[in-house]
Amino acid sequence: MTAPPLARVTDSDVIRTSMAEPEAFAELFDRYSGMIFRYVSKRLGPEPAEDLVGETFAVAFARRSSYDQTYLDARPWLFGIATKLVSRHHRSEAARYRALLRSPQDGPVESPAERVAAGVSARAARRQLATALAVLPKRDRDALLLYAWCDLTYEEVARALDIPVGTVRSRLNRARRKVRAELGETNPLTEEA
């Protein structure tokens, strides 16, 4: 007979434990540093992302005593800290979107024919999407990217940005409308040439 699976220690438990045993906080880094890195890297590039991930966890560690322990999942809190740090690098983010306009798409593809088709579609979509993201107001872009790239719920985006859920809904609605308008009301990945 096998033993029942052990319950995962919640993020809130890790933070509580880290108050007496600071090294316990490393568990949050192990759980979420990859997610935070991917999010920041998409926004600013891999080089500044490495520094910002470290800074995100340093800030979180310093502020852990103020964490609301009723929230078992610390991801929105961590993404909120990362988003605030990204906002300090806003010019770098805008430069990253401009660079995306000029760069080719890399990634795994099934066959050479699919690679060519995917590359053409991705380059076209990337250019349009980068332009659309660049013209969004920062606050709308933050909400959209936390929702789309980090898979946070509306409630989690609200916690990350410290805004009401209704504000998240209106920012996402506005961002989606602006992105659709910038893309010519079409999805370039599904449109036939």
Side-chain angles (χ1 to χ4, degrees):
M1 188 181 248
T2 61
L6 296 175
R8 181 174 181 246
V9 176
T10 68
D11 297 344
S12 141
D13 292 336
V14 170
I15 292 168
R16 186 173 20 265
T17 301
S18 77
M19 299 309 292
E21 302 169 28
E23 64 279 354
F25 196 82
E27 176 65 24
L28 290 184
F29 183 86
D30 293 343
R31 288 180 186 179
Y32 302 121
S33 62
M35 287 180 199
I36 301 291
F37 178 81
R38 283 186 295 279
Y39 170 65
V40 175
S41 183
K42 286 179 180 179
R43 294 195 68 174
L44 300 175
E47 291 162 17
E50 290 180 20
D51 293 336
L52 259 70
V53 168
E55 195 174 342
T56 296
F57 284 92
V59 168
F61 182 79
R63 295 183 185 165
R64 72 191 190 281
S65 64
S66 65
Y67 181 75
D68 183 347
Q69 303 266 332
T70 61
Y71 294 111
L72 302 180
D73 182 1
R75 285 178 318 127
W77 179 60
L78 293 168
F79 278 118
I81 293 168
T83 299
K84 287 177 183 144
L85 293 172
V86 164
S87 72
R88 293 182 186 164
H89 294 81
H90 182 65
R91 276 188 272 183
S92 299
E93 182 180 27
R96 170 108 172 115
Y97 292 133
R98 287 191 298 274
L100 281 173
L101 293 172
R102 299 183 299 270
S103 68
Q105 168 83 18
D106 293 324
V109 182
E110 298 289 324
S111 71
E114 289 174 343
R115 181 180 310 144
V116 170
V120 169
S121 293
R123 274 191 289 283
R126 177 181 275 186
R127 179 174 299 280
Q128 291 174 306
L129 186 57
T131 300
L133 290 173
V135 301
L136 283 178
K138 182 193 143 339
R139 64 183 191 211
D140 294 350
R141 183 173 49 240
D142 287 345
L144 180 65
L145 297 180
L146 283 168
Y147 180 76
W149 287 353
C150 302
D151 293 325
L152 296 184
T153 65
Y154 286 13
E155 292 77 14
E156 291 170 331
V157 171
R159 277 185 41 220
L161 298 177
D162 196 25
I163 58 177
V165 173
T167 303
V168 169
R169 292 181 196 284
S170 64
R171 287 183 185 179
L172 288 175
N173 184 41
R174 187 171 40 249
R176 288 175 180 135
R177 277 188 287 118
K178 288 180 179 182
V179 167
R180 269 195 305 271
E182 191 68 34
L183 296 177
E185 301 297 330
T186 63
N187 180 344
L189 296 176
T190 60
E191 291 297 309
E192 292 296 322

